[in-house]
Amino acid sequence: MKTQGAAKKTAAQQTVSEAISFEEATDEAIDFSNVQIEPLFEDFVDFETFSKSDFRAVKVKDCVAVKKSKKLLQFTLDDGTGTDRTILSGIHAYYEPEELIGKTCVAITNLPPRPMMGIDSCGMLISAVHQENGEERLHLLMLDPHIPAGAKLY
């Protein structure tokens, strides 16, 4: 839980502290010896098909657990259009909603809406998934906070 002092950080202080926490996280030695990843696809996809996917940087404005669901989080996202985007993601086993607010993530924004638990999910957040010691691990892709909402990713 954030203290009042932490909640009053300026945007510049927040950016600096996020950059420091990212650097600290990446400076740690990580043991990948027990990691198993899925094999790469053997089929190729042509460039035209790939280029139809619209990957965008999105800022998490709000995130809440979906009632009556153990897995789903409901994200309210700034995708740069000026209209909030709702995406649901089954990542509650890996993240608590409040720790994701303010983060910059990657989303595919041109998927058709998909109803989940009575809520339309308008896109998909991108995560990295692997097995470690027989357990699934998931990391939501988070970008540098300096990347603006709506920036196209290639």
Side-chain angles (χ1 to χ4, degrees):
M1 182 173 218
K2 290 184 178 180
T3 64
Q4 272 190 323
K8 292 183 180 180
K9 284 184 180 178
T10 67
Q13 290 170 323
Q14 184 65 30
T15 300
V16 169
S17 65
E18 286 175 358
I20 291 169
S21 67
F22 179 76
E23 285 178 15
E24 289 170 354
T26 56
D27 284 346
E28 295 176 20
I30 301 172
D31 177 13
F32 290 117
S33 63
N34 294 319
V35 171
Q36 300 85 39
I37 59 170
E38 291 183 35
L40 297 177
F41 288 128
E42 291 183 16
D43 295 335
F44 287 103
V45 61
D46 61 69
F47 185 78
E48 183 180 339
T49 302
F50 165 76
S51 65
K52 290 179 183 178
S53 296
D54 194 2
F55 291 92
R56 298 288 175 150
V58 293
K59 304 277 185 180
V60 180
K61 294 174 71 174
D62 195 20
C63 185
V64 296
V66 175
K67 292 178 180 157
K68 299 183 182 180
S69 173
K70 293 180 182 178
K71 296 180 179 183
L72 289 176
L73 294 180
Q74 179 177 340
F75 290 82
T76 302
L77 303 166
D78 176 357
D79 63 6
T81 64
T83 302
D84 288 349
R85 174 179 296 273
T86 298
I87 292 181
L88 276 65
S89 184
I91 63 171
H92 199 183
Y94 305 96
Y95 293 97
E96 289 303 316
E98 56 275 3
E99 70 184 288
L100 298 170
I101 296 170
K103 300 296 184 189
T104 304
C105 300
V106 178
I108 299 178
T109 58
N110 63 335
L111 294 174
R114 178 178 177 205
M116 301 166 72
M117 302 290 292
I119 303 166
D120 277 347
S121 181
C122 299
M124 180 184 291
L125 292 171
I126 305 299
S127 298
V129 180
H130 67 275
Q131 295 285 322
E132 191 170 333
N133 297 321
E135 291 184 36
E136 182 178 80
R137 303 289 177 156
L138 178 141
H139 297 276
L140 185 62
L141 291 188
M142 294 184 209
L143 302 174
D144 184 313
H146 295 94
I147 299 171
K152 180 142 177 68
L153 305 176
Y154 293 93

